[in-house]
Amino acid sequence: MRHASDNGFADRRKAAAEAKQQLLKKFATAPKADDPELAAKLAERQANAAAREARRAERDRLKQEENERQLAEAAALTAAAELESKAEATAREEAARDRIARVVADEAERKAERDRRYAARKARQR
């Protein structure tokens, strides 16, 4: 058995006609396009959409500013690290120059002392 209640053709036709009447009644009672209440709802939706768009634009602007701030901070840190690196390299070079200058001065001092002793020895031999 297909249906619990054996509907005949007339019953089915009557049900379809009632459904059609209900749809027509629903359509007839629906608010019209020029209805002030419908216009107010539409205006409210548009205002909500505009406010939502404004909030989204503000969030995007704040994100962009934060990204720019982070980029600037990273650039500043990179520049500071670069300056520090250059300063360390300069200090190492200066220390190496000082060490070389001390070694050269010590060598010159030893040579001068050696030459003095040599000259003294030659003077004694004469």
Side-chain angles (χ1 to χ4, degrees), residues 31-44:
K32 307 294 183 239
D34 60 348
D35 186 21
E37 188 176 313
L38 188 62
K41 283 184 181 179
L42 181 61
E44 183 180 351

Side-chain angles (χ1 to χ4, degrees), residues 99-120:
R99 192 170 46 251
I100 290 170
R102 282 194 313 267
V103 168
V104 169
D106 288 347
E107 284 294 320
E109 212 175 285
R110 275 184 275 183
K111 184 177 184 307
E113 179 62 25
R114 190 178 65 226
D115 288 348
R116 187 193 58 74
R117 284 192 317 252
Y118 179 75

Side-chain angles (χ1 to χ4, degrees), residues 61-74:
R61 186 186 62 79
L62 290 174
K63 274 185 190 178
Q64 181 66 25
E65 286 176 0
E66 179 65 19
N67 286 342
E68 289 173 0
R69 186 191 62 78
Q70 288 178 350
L71 286 175
E73 191 175 296

Side-chain angles (χ1 to χ4, degrees), residues 1-125:
M1 220 162 133
R2 206 173 210 197
H3 300 289
S5 63
D6 194 356
N7 291 339
F9 179 72
D11 291 336
R12 289 193 310 267
R13 194 167 175 202
K14 182 180 173 188
E18 286 175 2
K20 193 175 197 182
Q21 286 299 323
Q22 287 176 354
L23 281 174
L24 288 173
K25 184 178 172 184
K26 182 179 175 184
F27 182 73
T29 60
K32 307 294 183 239
D34 60 348
D35 186 21
E37 188 176 313
L38 188 62
K41 283 184 181 179
L42 181 61
E44 183 180 351
R45 283 188 196 132
Q46 288 175 343
N48 287 342
R52 188 178 320 114
E53 181 63 26
R55 288 191 306 269
R56 187 193 61 75
E58 179 66 16
R59 273 194 315 271
D60 289 347
R61 186 186 62 79
L62 290 174
K63 274 185 190 178
Q64 181 66 25
E65 286 176 0
E66 179 65 19
N67 286 342
E68 289 173 0
R69 186 191 62 78
Q70 288 178 350
L71 286 175
E73 191 175 296
L77 288 174
T78 303
E82 200 172 292
L83 284 175
E84 185 178 332
S85 173
K86 285 181 182 180
E88 286 178 7
T90 303
R92 280 194 305 269
E93 288 176 9
E94 188 63 34
R97 279 194 221 109
D98 288 346
R99 192 170 46 251
I100 290 170
R102 282 194 313 267
V103 168
V104 169
D106 288 347
E107 284 294 320
E109 212 175 285
R110 275 184 275 183
K111 184 177 184 307
E113 179 62 25
R114 190 178 65 226
D115 288 348
R116 187 193 58 74
R117 284 192 317 252
Y118 179 75
R121 189 171 63 236
K122 284 294 186 181
R124 282 191 309 254
Q125 284 178 359

